[in-house]
């Protein structure tokens, strides 16, 4: 037991406590410090995990899926380490382990459930080799526009080379995930939605990236889409097609939350229902369920978890401010925004809307992606008034103007939301991009009290 | 009146919200009571240059540009005739590079359309950031975002679209951005370009209408206060 290790853990815990008291995010700083004091700390602590390490990667839904998997495992009485706050680069991962360890450097955990930023996998995997990688989806993100998704795929492939025994749990409906799993040569299983879903007819106006075969370069043919590029595809040239789905969601209903059946490739059936909303959350639940099933646990308590689930961290998180129900939702890229619009449209009662767009470095400084989102769909969504806010409110105002939808720009986010809190429909949706989330959420919480 | 807009290879060249440019042209026509029609040409579709009054060539990643490049050689001759006959073209980012003779990348060279005397060579690092330029054509500055690895050099006597006020422009050195040749505009600016720069949009629309109807057409003014706000805001960014 080295002194440096104890010191690293102690200091991290103190700093984290102070950060919480000050209402600041100190997690990544803790990780940075701990790693500096004791470079071996992540390898040391992660090696103490008794049963298995899961990592979750993918463009959208990482935090939701990873935290759900964590809850599933905990409900079976398992002890876990999880980076719940979504700090998913090397320092955030280190912090999750360090803050769970005892001052004596002992970690008491059956599983580690860790979400990792795709680009950070290459920096994290030298410290530990995951047993499972859960791949949610790979969409083109606003941040890596020029670099393209190809670079992300390449990084993940190289990272997977570092852990040859890692089993992949991939979204079969996403050609990029499924192709990646196949290309890696790793053992893999899949989840997906085998048939077109009647409850969620795919938008025909949605802007889709041309999808090309990862093996021969030919344009892929789609039999149908669920949303974005998720669906059933095949390559007319080399014959590559959507792989067999091991965990298939069927009998989907979007009324009063989500419910569906999961049919395993062993023909076992399991009905799941939750108070989550948004079609895309079926993929998140399905992904977490598939991963949890791989442990061989019975999963007898997950129904209660899905039903009592209270969304946090601005993923469809609800607030009650005076008479007004506020629903906060994060969207970082066109695919995420389009899914959010679908989720808003599942509610057909009158509503108001605030859209907050920032252009800080973590959001992407280039906001041209706004024009790849189907904002036109809001014209049929029973939206009474719209306010656009954030650093790029004027660009968002234009985006609505060119969809023939009226919107008013209020740069200050709190002022913008306040305008619609009273005297309107009392059903307010707030859609924000990344850097707007933290402060907006904090402010909404403070307004609740 | 009626204008047909041809979007070349939107399935490949739509890296920077280029559909926003299409939407902007369509709306600014229809708000003035002019019919607007969009024709999307996908890879392997036959392009007849007599069918449209404006062509838009957007930007793609290097890989996508290579895919399009194969296709381009088949339309090169017809496209050249269209441009020389004062046909209207707006080419953005990767599309701008394709207007020229070639785009020399590290490992290979992509042949261009040779519509305008310019060429592009990949440089060290990408030129990324908000950009504002001043063109002699308009009082209002043109503003947007640039993100390109290629450095573009214009031939002798070829007119740039404008002078760089802040940002990098064609090559980060010359102080110039974009190109204007006959009724062709090429530029690295996206954001997308046209919604915040309605002066550029209306210029293109007026040129295409004037050519089609054989007389000078002056467009009715629109309420551009939202456009002006976004333009002003973007100018102030660095
Ligand atoms: Zn193929």
């Amino acid at each position: 037991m080295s002194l440096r290790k104890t010191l690293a853990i102690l200091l991290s815990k103190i700093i984290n406590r102070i950060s919480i008291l000050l209402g600041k995010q100190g997690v990544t700083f803790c990780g940075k410090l701990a790693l500096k004091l004791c470079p071996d700390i992540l390898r040391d602590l992660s090696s103490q995990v008794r049963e298995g390490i899961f990592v979750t990667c993918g463009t959208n839904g990482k935090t939701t899926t990873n935290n759900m998997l964590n809850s599933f495992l905990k409900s079976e009485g398992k002890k876990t380490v999880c980076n719940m706050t979504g700090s998913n680069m090397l320092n955030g991962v280190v912090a999750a382990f360090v803050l769970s360890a005892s001052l004596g450097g002992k970690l008491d955990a059956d599983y580690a459930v860790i979400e990792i930023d795709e680009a950070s996998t290459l920096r994290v995997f030298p410290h530990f080799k995951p047993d499972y990688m859960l791949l949610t989806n790979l969409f083109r993100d606003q941040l890596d526009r020029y670099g393209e998704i190809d670079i992300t795929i390449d990084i993940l492939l190289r990272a997977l080379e570092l852990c040859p025994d890692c089993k992949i749990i991939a979204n079969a409906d996403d050609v990029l995930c499924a192709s990646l799993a196949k290309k890696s040569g790793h053992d893999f299983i899949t989840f997906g939605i085998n048939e077109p879903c009647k409850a969620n007819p795919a938008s025909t106006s949605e802007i889709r990236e041309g999808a090309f075969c990862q093996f021969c370069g030919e344009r892929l043919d789609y039999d149908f889409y669920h949303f974005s590029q998720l669906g059933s595809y095949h390559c007319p040239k080399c014959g590559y097609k959507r792989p067999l789905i091991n965990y298939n969601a069927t009998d989907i209903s979007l009324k009063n939350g989500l419910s569906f059946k999961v049919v395993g490739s062993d023909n076992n059936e399991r009905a799941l229902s939750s108070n989550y909303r948004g079609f895309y959350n079926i993929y998140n639940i399905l992904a977490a369920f598939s991963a949890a099933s791989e442990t061989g646990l019975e999963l007898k308590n997950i129904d209660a978890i899905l039903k009592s689930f209270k969304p946090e961290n601005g993923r469809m998180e609800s607030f009650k401010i005076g008479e007004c129900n506020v629903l906060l939702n994060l969207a970082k890229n066109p695919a995420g925004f389009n899914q959010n619009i679908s989720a808003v449209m599942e509610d057909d009662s009158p509503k108001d809307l605030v859209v907050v767009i920032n252009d800080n470095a973590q959001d992407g400084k280039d906001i041209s992606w706004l024009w790849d989102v189907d904002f036109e769909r809001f014209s049929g969504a029973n939206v009474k008034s719209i306010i656009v806010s954030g650093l790029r409110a004027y660009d968002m105002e234009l985006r609505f103007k060119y969809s023939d939808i009226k919107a008013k720009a209020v740069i200050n986010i709190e002022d913008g939301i306040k305008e619609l809190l009273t005297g309107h429909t009392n059903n307010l949706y707030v859609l924000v991009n990344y850097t707007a989330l933290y402060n907006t959420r904090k402010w909404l919480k403070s307004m609740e009290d | 009146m009626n204008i047909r807009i041809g979007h070349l290879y939107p399935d490949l060249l739509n890296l920077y919200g280029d559909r926003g440019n299409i939407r902007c042209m369509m709306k600014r026509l229809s708000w003035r009571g002019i019919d607007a029609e969009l024709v999307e040409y996908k890879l392997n579709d036959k392009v007849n240059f007599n069918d449209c009054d404006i062509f838009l060539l957007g930007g793609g990643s290097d890989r996508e540009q290579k895919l399009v490049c194969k296709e381009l050689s088949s339309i090169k001759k017809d496209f050249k005739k269209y441009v020389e006959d004062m046909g209207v073209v707006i080419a953005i980012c990767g599309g701008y590079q394709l207007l020229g003779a070639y785009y020399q990348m590290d490992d290979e060279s992509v042949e261009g359309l040779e519509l305008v005397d310019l060429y592009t060579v990949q440089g060290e690092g990408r030129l990324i950031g908000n950009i504002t330029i001043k063109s002699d054509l308009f009082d209002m500055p043109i503003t947007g975002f640039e993100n390109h690895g290629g450095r573009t050099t214009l031939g002798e006597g070829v007119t740039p679209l404008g002078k760089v006020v802040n940002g990098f422009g064609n090559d980060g050195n010359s102080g110039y951005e974009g190109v204007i040749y006959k009724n062709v505009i090429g530029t690295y600016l996206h954001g997308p370009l046209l919604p915040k720069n309605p002066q550029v949009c209306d210029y293109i629309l007026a040129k295409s209408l004037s050519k089609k109807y054989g007389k000078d057409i002056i467009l009715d003014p629109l309420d551009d206060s939202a456009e002006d706000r976004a333009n002003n805001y973007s100018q102030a960014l660095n």
Side-chain angles (χ1 to χ4, degrees):
Chain A
M1 176 64 215
S2 78
L3 188 62
R4 295 181 76 85
K5 187 166 143 194
T6 305
L7 190 65
I9 295 173
L10 178 67
L11 279 177
S12 296
K13 283 178 188 272
I14 293 173
I15 289 166
N16 188 50
R17 191 57 60 85
I18 295 172
S19 312
I20 291 169
L21 285 174
L22 294 174
K24 295 235 156 60
Q25 289 172 306
V27 175
T28 53
F29 181 68
C30 291
K32 194 173 173 180
L33 184 81
L35 209 53
K36 190 127 217 168
L37 287 169
C38 181
D40 200 33
I41 198 153
L42 182 54
R43 205 163 57 108
D44 180 330
L45 294 176
S46 60
S47 70
Q48 299 179 40
V49 174
R50 287 182 290 268
E51 297 187 31
I53 298 178
F54 284 92
V55 296
T56 305
C57 292
T59 314
N60 290 340
K62 262 198 295 276
T63 305
T64 305
T65 304
N66 195 68
N67 290 357
M68 200 183 312
L69 173 59
N70 183 52
S71 309
F72 286 176
L73 297 176
K74 276 167 71 175
S75 75
E76 293 290 306
K78 295 295 177 184
K79 292 209 164 99
T80 65
V81 183
C82 177
N83 51 346
M84 298 269 311
T85 56
S87 292
N88 59 17
M89 303 209 225
L90 177 59
N91 291 331
V93 175
V94 172
F97 279 91
V98 169
L99 295 174
S100 300
S102 73
L103 287 182
K106 289 278 171 266
L107 186 83
D108 176 18
D110 300 303
Y111 288 97
V113 187
I114 304 292
E115 71 159 280
I116 305 185
D117 165 67
E118 296 73 66
S120 299
T121 49
L122 268 178
R123 281 189 291 277
V124 174
F125 290 2
H127 296 267
F128 64 71
K129 315 227 168 303
D131 301 289
Y132 301 96
M133 178 187 277
L134 182 51
L135 268 177
T136 59
N137 51 61
L138 291 166
F139 294 123
R140 185 182 263 179
D141 208 46
Q142 78 289 353
L143 289 179
D144 52 26
R145 302 230 105 192
Y146 75 86
E148 347 164 26
I149 201 84
D150 302 13
I151 291 176
T152 305
I153 291 173
D154 186 55
I155 289 174
L156 285 171
L157 280 172
R158 282 192 289 148
L160 281 163
E161 280 174 17
L162 299 174
C163 48
D165 296 327
C166 175
K167 185 170 189 176
I168 301 172
I169 302 160
N171 187 339
D173 294 342
D174 180 1
V175 64
L176 294 178
C177 286
S179 305
L180 173 62
K182 183 177 173 185
K183 262 190 192 169
S184 73
H186 283 232
D187 197 10
F188 73 93
I189 57 145
T190 65
F191 58 91
I193 305 170
N194 203 19
E195 302 289 329
C197 170
K198 286 190 199 73
N200 175 66
S203 153
T204 48
S205 67
E206 189 175 329
I207 295 154
R208 296 180 205 283
E209 304 279 338
F212 295 84
C213 178
Q214 293 283 310
F215 299 96
C216 75
E218 186 72 12
R219 178 197 304 279
L220 292 170
D221 283 343
Y222 273 77
D223 308 310
F224 60 85
Y225 291 98
H226 293 302
F227 64 79
S228 291
Q229 86 264 21
L230 304 192
S232 178
Y233 48 82
H234 63 269
C235 173
K237 194 164 157 198
C238 76
Y240 177 69
K241 61 174 200 276
R242 180 172 70 166
L244 189 81
I245 296 175
N246 300 97
Y247 295 91
N248 174 35
T250 89
D251 298 1
I252 293 167
S253 157
L254 306 178
K255 288 265 175 279
N256 305 316
L258 303 172
S259 58
F260 57 96
K261 266 198 305 212
V262 185
V263 183
S265 39
D266 53 4
N267 276 325
N268 274 345
E269 277 190 24
R270 176 75 182 254
L272 296 176
S273 63
S274 81
N275 60 355
Y276 281 76
R277 289 177 46 194
F279 179 78
Y280 62 91
N281 270 319
I282 291 175
Y283 281 103
N284 294 333
I285 298 171
L286 192 56
F289 177 80
S290 309
S293 300
E294 287 300 301
T295 61
L297 292 167
E298 215 182 313
L299 303 178
K300 50 194 179 299
N301 302 316
I302 64 171
D303 295 326
I305 292 198
L306 286 170
K307 286 213 177 84
S308 67
F309 174 80
K310 199 166 177 314
E312 278 177 43
N313 288 330
R315 273 74 171 184
M316 279 289 191
E317 186 174 6
S318 63
F319 302 84
K320 180 91 182 168
I321 300 172
E323 291 298 297
C324 188
N325 292 307
V326 182
L327 212 65
L328 176 68
N329 207 359
L330 168 74
K332 296 182 286 190
N333 43 40
F337 248 106
N338 283 331
Q339 290 154 54
N340 272 345
I341 294 170
S342 297
V344 171
M345 293 182 73
E346 284 166 24
D347 168 11
D348 48 22
S349 52
K351 59 187 78 69
D352 300 294
L353 175 69
V354 177
V355 179
V356 185
I357 301 296
N358 279 348
D359 66 347
N360 293 309
Q362 287 167 290
D363 302 305
K365 296 212 129 303
D366 180 2
I367 43 88
S368 47
W369 61 276
L370 292 179
W371 295 77
D372 289 335
V373 179
D374 251 342
F375 286 107
E376 287 69 31
R377 289 164 70 209
F378 276 128
S379 62
N382 206 1
V383 182
K384 299 302 174 192
S385 359
I386 301 179
I387 284 189
V388 291
S389 194
L391 297 171
R392 298 310 289 264
Y394 295 138
D395 284 88
M396 198 53 229
E397 182 188 10
L398 268 193
R399 180 66 191 88
F400 274 120
K401 177 175 177 178
Y402 282 87
S403 312
D404 292 315
I405 296 174
K406 235 191 159 115
K408 178 180 161 188
V410 179
I411 301 274
N412 182 283
I413 302 170
E414 293 167 20
D415 291 344
I417 297 174
K418 263 187 208 156
E419 252 193 74
L420 297 178
L421 276 180
T422 50
H424 289 267
T425 62
N426 286 338
N427 182 20
L428 179 61
Y429 285 82
V430 180
L431 306 185
V432 299
N433 72 340
Y434 197 70
T435 64
L437 177 67
Y438 185 71
N439 284 327
T440 306
R441 179 168 182 268
K442 203 163 102 180
W443 182 76
L444 286 170
K445 258 195 140 34
S446 75
M447 292 292 287
E448 249 185 339
D449 307 328
Chain B
M1 289 191 289
N2 156 294
I3 287 290
R4 282 166 67 95
I5 300 168
H7 193 178
L8 293 172
Y9 318 120
D11 49 343
L12 284 166
L13 301 182
N14 183 41
L15 191 53
Y16 298 116
D18 286 317
R19 281 190 168 89
N21 290 320
I22 297 283
R23 181 171 287 283
C24 185
M25 291 190 275
M26 308 273 290
K27 286 289 174 196
R28 295 183 74 83
L29 287 165
S30 71
W31 288 337
R32 292 174 167 115
I34 301 165
D35 287 337
E37 208 182 317
L38 173 63
V39 187
E40 292 195 339
Y41 296 97
K42 301 210 166 129
L43 212 58
N44 305 323
D45 286 353
K46 165 124 191 63
V47 186
N48 185 342
F49 284 89
N50 296 322
D51 283 351
C52 291
D53 311 298
I54 300 173
F55 279 94
L56 182 133
L57 195 56
S61 67
D62 290 349
R63 180 180 58 90
E64 290 160 336
Q65 238 160 285
K66 277 182 219 164
L67 279 171
V68 168
C69 168
K70 288 185 206 149
E71 188 83 358
L72 290 181
S73 55
S74 69
I75 60 167
K76 213 164 167 175
K77 226 178 92 200
D78 292 347
F79 208 165
K80 179 86 187 165
K81 183 170 181 308
Y82 172 84
V83 166
E84 291 302 313
D85 289 348
M86 300 303 279
V88 178
V89 178
I90 175 82
I92 291 163
C93 204
Y96 169 37
Q97 296 170 343
L98 290 173
L99 294 179
Y102 58 84
Y103 176 22
Q104 175 66 52
M105 292 184 230
D106 284 343
D107 43 357
E108 65 182 299
S109 183
V110 173
E111 198 188 322
L113 288 157
E114 295 179 85
L115 301 174
V116 183
D117 181 13
L118 60 85
Y119 64 89
T120 303
V121 178
Q122 189 173 0
E124 186 102 356
R126 298 185 72 89
L127 306 178
I128 305 174
N130 292 292
I131 174 171
T132 298
I133 67 170
K134 179 71 185 71
S135 169
D136 291 340
L137 294 172
F138 318 105
D139 292 335
M140 190 182 188
I142 307 172
T143 182
F145 199 90
E146 64 183 320
N147 184 345
H148 49 107
R151 290 5 180 217
T152 297
T153 305
L154 305 184
E156 193 89 27
V158 177
T159 317
L161 176 61
K163 275 197 177 107
V164 177
V165 178
N166 66 58
F168 297 104
N170 280 341
D171 57 3
N173 289 319
S174 66
Y176 291 107
E177 205 292 319
V179 75
I180 184 150
Y181 171 74
K182 296 200 168 186
N183 282 337
V184 178
I185 289 180
T187 176
Y188 277 116
L189 270 70
H190 60 267
L193 173 73
L194 298 180
K196 307 197 258 281
N197 297 291
Q199 75 282 29
V200 181
C201 187
D202 286 356
Y203 175 86
I204 292 164
L205 299 179
K207 287 286 180 199
S208 64
L209 284 162
S210 301
K211 171 165 190 287
K212 181 163 193 173
Y213 294 99
K215 55 181 181 191
D216 267 352
I217 287 177
I218 295 164
L219 294 167
D220 298 333
L222 297 171
D223 173 9
D224 281 338
S225 45
E227 286 80 352
D228 294 347
R229 276 196 288 280
N231 182 294
N232 269 319
Y233 188 87
S234 173
Q235 276 186 51
L237 298 168
N238 275 308

